[in-house]
Amino acid sequence: MATPHTIAVAGKGGVGKTTTCGMIIDYLCSKKTGPVLVVDADANSNLNEVLGVEVETSLGAIREEMAQAELKGTIPSGMTKADYADFKFSSAIVEEDEFDLLVMGRTQGKGCYCYVNGVLKSQVDKYAKNYSYIVMDNEAGLEHVARGTLPHVDTMLLISDCSRRGVQAAARIAEMIGEMELKPGKMGIIINRAPNGELDSGVKAEIGKHGLELLGVLPQDEAVYRCDCDGEPSSKLPQSNPVKQALKGIMQELGL
Ligand SMILES: Nc1ncnc2c1ncn2[C@@H]1O[C@H](COP(=O)(O)OP(=O)(O)O)[C@@H](O)[C@H]1O
Ligand SMILES: [Mg+2]
């Protein structure tokens, strides 16, 4: 059975993880080299917005419904709890023409994400074999890495803004990943929002200091910024968009 190539992003809040994911998804879909599963594993999920997709439910919400059904005894008779879970969770997949989207969402109540994280992992594992690529957006702290609930990652992209502090944050995450079981096949840093697409020498020095592999630089871009302000999906910007162009170069360099 073929295993998909999994790409995940990490980095501190607001550096462009979700934006980058959206464009990676667009790139992979436009290549038409096989089905893409998109996983929004950020509790504050908004990847659907950069993709321009409506989402009605999430694994977190379904988990709540399940817990309620169990409590009230409304699980359909003749169905085991596992069957019911399977049935409910399969309804969490949003099927678009070019990709499928799974939103993890957050659980209500006193925030233990362990259960839903576990469910996410088993669902992803179950569906994974149907896809050529999995693209996973994550939250800043990369809690799933800490909890070991992320599926195997082939390519881990550390995203940073064009600042020393951004690079330092990425380096800390890289260190954390290094200490975990995750062991991504490949890990490197992408500098986003670089003025004129140029990497400042101080920032470059910081990357070197932490021994990070620089995969590429994405420019600060007015059109991407406008998309956010206007509520438009940035992943649907024309292929000529400078950020898309730069990202395409990085992806090709990675052999993706
Ligand atoms: N290259 C870029 N040029 C201009 N704005 C950008 C760029 N990358 C991201 N942004 C903007 O920065 C903000 C944060 O990006 P986002 O992808 O949501 O970050 P994260 O997912 O890391 O929190 C958004 O408003 C987005 O439009
Ligand atoms: Mg995000």
Side-chain angles (χ1 to χ4, degrees):
M1 194 68 74
T3 47
H5 187 102
T6 301
I7 303 166
V9 293
K12 71 185 174 97
V15 292
K17 294 181 296 297
T18 302
T19 305
T20 308
C21 271
M23 291 188 179
I24 288 173
I25 292 155
D26 177 74
Y27 167 81
L28 293 173
C29 291
S30 68
K31 275 208 328 173
K32 301 201 187 305
T33 43
V36 178
L37 175 65
V38 176
V39 178
D40 190 344
D42 185 348
N44 183 18
S45 37
N46 55 11
L47 179 58
N48 64 300
E49 285 169 24
V50 309
L51 293 168
V53 176
E54 294 281 338
V55 173
E56 275 161 25
T57 191
S58 68
L59 290 181
I62 287 170
R63 186 250 152 157
E64 283 307 311
E65 283 171 34
M66 275 180 51
Q68 287 299 318
E70 207 186 0
L71 215 65
K72 294 179 185 149
T74 52
I75 293 177
S77 57
M79 246 187 181
T80 67
K81 193 189 165 196
D83 287 343
Y84 184 63
D86 225 42
F87 159 74
K88 290 292 276 179
F89 284 121
S90 62
S91 71
I93 290 206
V94 182
E95 292 178 12
E96 290 290 301
D97 289 345
E98 300 199 287
F99 57 83
D100 292 346
L101 169 64
L102 196 59
V103 178
M104 182 173 145
R106 52 179 218 94
T107 51
Q108 274 120 39
K110 292 221 173 68
C112 176
Y113 289 84
C114 304
Y115 179 84
V116 75
N117 280 348
V119 166
L120 174 80
K121 185 161 165 43
S122 58
Q123 287 294 303
V124 170
D125 287 348
K126 188 180 127 196
Y127 288 108
K129 57 185 187 300
N130 302 324
Y131 299 90
S132 301
Y133 298 98
I134 297 177
V135 180
M136 191 154 185
D137 191 14
N138 291 297
E139 50 200 351
L142 213 64
E143 280 75 7
H144 318 302
V145 173
R147 295 198 177 111
T149 50
L150 215 63
H152 175 74
V153 174
D154 297 290
T155 305
M156 176 62 82
L157 304 174
L158 302 165
I159 314 290
S160 171
D161 56 13
C162 199
S163 76
R164 278 184 186 263
R165 262 191 283 284
V167 172
Q168 286 160 7
R172 272 193 294 275
I173 293 170
E175 209 174 293
M176 186 172 100
I177 291 169
E179 289 162 5
M180 300 291 161
E181 284 296 288
L182 195 65
K183 300 192 177 37
K186 170 106 186 162
M187 178 162 68
I189 188 167
I190 293 176
I191 300 296
N192 186 25
R193 308 191 75 162
N196 304 314
E198 281 164 31
L199 184 59
D200 181 85
S201 58
V203 175
K204 191 174 179 185
E206 194 70 29
I207 295 169
K209 197 174 118 188
H210 293 284
L212 295 170
E213 182 183 346
L214 177 64
L215 300 176
V217 180
L218 305 175
Q220 166 66 25
D221 184 73
E222 179 65 20
V224 170
Y225 173 72
R226 281 256 45 99
C227 278
D228 181 282
C229 298
D230 301 340
E232 296 290 337
S234 56
S235 74
K236 292 185 178 167
L237 283 166
Q239 298 303 329
S240 59
N241 175 269
V243 183
K244 274 199 170 177
Q245 285 290 317
L247 194 58
K248 184 178 174 182
I250 294 171
M251 294 296 283
Q252 287 173 340
E253 195 68 31
L254 284 167
L256 292 167

Coordinates of all heavy atoms in Angstrom, one line a residue, residues 11-20 42 46 50 137-138 192-193 218-222 224-225 228 243, ligand 1:
G11 N 6.0 26.7 13.7 CA 6.5 28.1 13.9 C 5.6 28.9 14.8 O 4.5 28.5 15.1
K12 N 6.1 30.0 15.3 CA 5.3 30.8 16.2 C 4.1 31.4 15.5 O 4.0 31.4 14.3 CB 6.1 31.8 17.0 CG 6.6 33.0 16.2 CD 7.5 33.8 17.1 CE 8.2 35.0 16.3 NZ 7.5 36.2 16.4
G13 N 3.2 31.9 16.4 CA 1.9 32.4 15.8 C 2.1 33.6 14.9 O 3.0 34.5 15.1
G14 N 1.3 33.6 13.8 CA 1.3 34.8 12.9 C 2.4 34.9 11.9 O 2.6 35.9 11.2
V15 N 3.3 33.8 11.8 CA 4.4 33.9 10.9 C 4.1 33.5 9.5 O 4.8 33.7 8.5 CB 5.6 33.1 11.4 CG1 6.2 33.7 12.6 CG2 5.2 31.6 11.6
G16 N 2.9 32.9 9.3 CA 2.5 32.6 7.9 C 2.3 31.1 7.7 O 2.4 30.6 6.5
K17 N 2.2 30.3 8.8 CA 2.1 28.8 8.6 C 0.8 28.5 7.7 O 0.9 27.7 6.8 CB 1.9 28.1 10.0 CG 3.1 28.2 10.9 CD 2.9 27.5 12.2 CE 1.8 28.1 13.0 NZ 2.1 29.5 13.5
T18 N -0.3 29.1 8.1 CA -1.5 28.7 7.4 C -1.5 29.2 6.0 O -1.9 28.5 5.1 CB -2.7 29.4 8.2 OG1 -2.7 28.8 9.5 CG2 -4.1 29.0 7.6
T19 N -1.0 30.4 5.8 CA -0.9 31.0 4.4 C 0.0 30.0 3.6 O -0.3 29.7 2.4 CB -0.3 32.4 4.5 OG1 -1.1 33.2 5.4 CG2 -0.2 33.0 3.1
T20 N 1.1 29.6 4.1 CA 2.1 28.8 3.4 C 1.4 27.4 3.1 O 1.5 26.9 1.9 CB 3.3 28.5 4.2 OG1 3.9 29.8 4.6 CG2 4.4 27.8 3.4
D42 N -4.9 22.9 13.9 CA -4.8 24.0 14.7 C -6.2 24.1 15.4 O -7.2 24.2 14.7 CB -4.6 25.3 13.9 CG -4.4 26.5 14.8 OD1 -4.7 26.5 16.0 OD2 -3.9 27.5 14.2
N46 N -8.3 27.8 10.8 CA -8.7 28.8 9.8 C -8.1 28.6 8.5 O -8.1 29.4 7.6 CB -8.3 30.3 10.3 CG -6.9 30.4 10.7 OD1 -6.1 29.5 10.4 ND2 -6.5 31.5 11.3
V50 N -8.2 30.4 4.1 CA -7.2 30.7 3.0 C -7.4 29.8 1.8 O -6.9 30.1 0.7 CB -5.7 30.6 3.5 CG1 -5.4 31.4 4.7 CG2 -5.2 29.2 3.7
D137 N -1.6 21.6 8.8 CA -1.4 22.9 9.5 C -1.4 22.7 11.0 O -2.2 21.9 11.5 CB -2.5 23.9 9.1 CG -2.2 25.4 9.5 OD1 -1.0 25.6 9.8 OD2 -3.1 26.2 9.4
N138 N -0.6 23.4 11.7 CA -0.5 23.2 13.1 C -0.6 24.4 13.9 O -0.4 25.5 13.4 CB 0.9 22.5 13.5 CG 0.9 21.1 12.9 OD1 0.1 20.2 13.4 ND2 1.8 20.8 12.0
N192 N 9.6 33.9 5.9 CA 8.4 34.5 5.3 C 8.4 36.0 5.5 O 9.0 36.5 6.4 CB 7.1 33.8 5.8 CG 5.9 34.3 5.1 OD1 6.0 34.7 3.9 ND2 4.8 34.2 5.7
R193 N 7.7 36.7 4.6 CA 7.5 38.1 4.7 C 8.8 38.9 4.7 O 9.0 39.9 5.4 CB 6.7 38.5 6.0 CG 5.4 37.7 6.1 CD 4.5 38.2 7.2 NE 3.8 39.4 6.7 CZ 2.7 39.9 7.3 NH1 2.1 39.3 8.3 NH2 2.2 41.0 6.8
L218 N 10.4 33.7 1.4 CA 9.1 34.1 0.7 C 9.0 35.6 1.0 O 9.2 36.1 2.1 CB 7.9 33.4 1.3 CG 7.9 31.9 1.3 CD1 6.7 31.3 2.1 CD2 8.0 31.4 -0.1
P219 N 8.7 36.4 0.0 CA 8.6 37.8 0.1 C 7.4 38.3 0.9 O 6.3 37.7 0.9 CB 8.6 38.3 -1.3 CG 7.9 37.2 -2.1 CD 8.3 35.9 -1.4
Q220 N 7.5 39.5 1.5 CA 6.3 40.2 2.0 C 5.5 40.6 0.7 O 6.1 41.0 -0.2 CB 6.8 41.5 2.7 CG 5.8 42.5 3.0 CD 4.7 42.0 4.0 OE1 4.9 41.1 4.8 NE2 3.5 42.6 3.9
D221 N 4.2 40.4 0.8 CA 3.5 40.6 -0.4 C 2.1 41.3 -0.1 O 1.3 40.8 0.7 CB 3.2 39.2 -1.1 CG 2.5 39.3 -2.4 OD1 3.1 39.8 -3.4 OD2 1.3 39.0 -2.5
E222 N 1.9 42.3 -0.9 CA 0.7 43.2 -0.7 C -0.6 42.4 -0.9 O -1.6 42.5 -0.2 CB 0.8 44.4 -1.6 CG -0.3 45.4 -1.5 CD -0.5 46.0 -0.1 OE1 0.5 46.1 0.6 OE2 -1.6 46.5 0.1
V224 N -1.2 39.2 -0.7 CA -1.5 38.2 0.3 C -2.1 38.9 1.5 O -3.1 38.5 2.1 CB -0.2 37.4 0.7 CG1 -0.4 36.6 2.0 CG2 0.3 36.5 -0.4
Y225 N -1.5 40.0 1.8 CA -2.0 40.8 3.0 C -3.4 41.3 2.7 O -4.3 41.2 3.6 CB -1.0 42.0 3.2 CG -1.6 43.0 4.2 CD1 -1.6 42.7 5.5 CD2 -2.1 44.3 3.8 CE1 -2.1 43.6 6.5 CE2 -2.6 45.2 4.7 CZ -2.6 44.8 6.0 OH -3.1 45.7 7.0
D228 N -6.2 38.7 3.3 CA -6.6 38.6 4.7 C -7.6 39.7 5.0 O -8.7 39.5 5.6 CB -5.4 38.6 5.6 CG -5.8 38.5 7.1 OD1 -6.3 39.5 7.6 OD2 -5.7 37.4 7.6
V243 N 4.8 35.2 -3.9 CA 4.9 34.3 -2.8 C 4.8 32.8 -3.3 O 5.5 31.9 -3.0 CB 3.9 34.5 -1.6 CG1 4.2 33.5 -0.5 CG2 4.1 36.0 -1.1
Ligands
LIG1 N1 4.2 36.7 2.6 C1 3.3 37.4 3.1 N2 3.0 38.7 2.8 C2 2.1 39.5 3.4 N3 1.3 39.0 4.4 C3 1.5 37.7 4.8 C4 2.4 36.9 4.2 N4 2.4 35.7 4.8 C5 1.4 35.8 5.7 N5 0.8 37.0 5.7 C6 -0.2 37.5 6.6 O1 0.2 37.3 7.9 C7 -0.9 37.0 8.8 C8 -0.7 35.7 9.5 O2 -0.5 34.7 8.6 P1 -1.0 33.2 9.0 O3 -0.7 32.4 7.8 O4 -2.4 33.2 9.5 O5 0.0 32.8 10.1 P2 0.0 31.6 11.2 O6 -0.8 30.5 10.6 O7 1.5 31.2 11.3 O8 -0.5 32.1 12.4 C9 -2.2 36.9 7.8 O9 -2.8 38.1 7.9 C10 -1.5 36.7 6.4 O10 -2.3 37.2 5.4

